[in-house]
Amino acid sequence: FTLRRSAAAIRAALAGDASGTQAYERTERDLESGVVDRAGFASVWDFYTELRALAAARGFTLYAVVMPVHGIVDAPAPADHPYARFVRQSLDSLGIPAYDAHVLWQERGAGSELFLPYNKHLSAAGNALLAEGLGAWLAARPEWQVVPAR
């Protein structure tokens, strides 16, 4: 999502369009309401495809974290929101293990109170919750299991 926002801002600046921020805000409102511009995410999936190839070539494991979206976490079932489902399905189709923080927010009954009030980023408490959930998810992954010495 951040990559998409950055790319939109660069395109707007190069085109001399002062409304890049407005377009981003409109896209964000659409996303929060359940309208997912699948074509608009193509460059994000291209990036993940290249990153997956780099991981294979360089021998590291690639994981993705689907960050919680301020306007989605207060929904009755944020993990079932069209955006959350779309991103999980897309990453699954690329074979990239992903941790979706919307699931965590739903399980914990957390909401937008864990975001900063002025810019929709996670607060310290929101980051702490995310770190706790992500740590547990990683620890449960088979590749992180410690095999006892014989």
Side-chain angles (χ1 to χ4, degrees), residues 95-142:
I96 298 172
Y99 180 73
D100 184 357
H102 294 98
V103 173
L104 174 66
W105 254 246
Q106 183 171 313
E107 290 173 350
R108 298 292 180 90
S112 60
E113 74 280 356
L114 296 178
F115 289 75
L116 297 171
Y118 50 85
N119 71 4
K120 298 183 180 181
H121 288 88
L122 291 177
S123 65
N127 277 299
L129 178 62
L130 179 59
E132 178 186 325
L134 181 58
W137 180 77
L138 285 169
R141 295 203 48 86

Side-chain angles (χ1 to χ4, degrees), residues 8-17 20:
I10 291 168
R11 280 193 303 274
L14 292 174
D17 180 9

Side-chain angles (χ1 to χ4, degrees), residues 59-71:
F60 64 89
T61 303
L62 175 63
Y63 301 103
V65 176
V66 182
M67 296 297 289
V69 176
H70 179 272

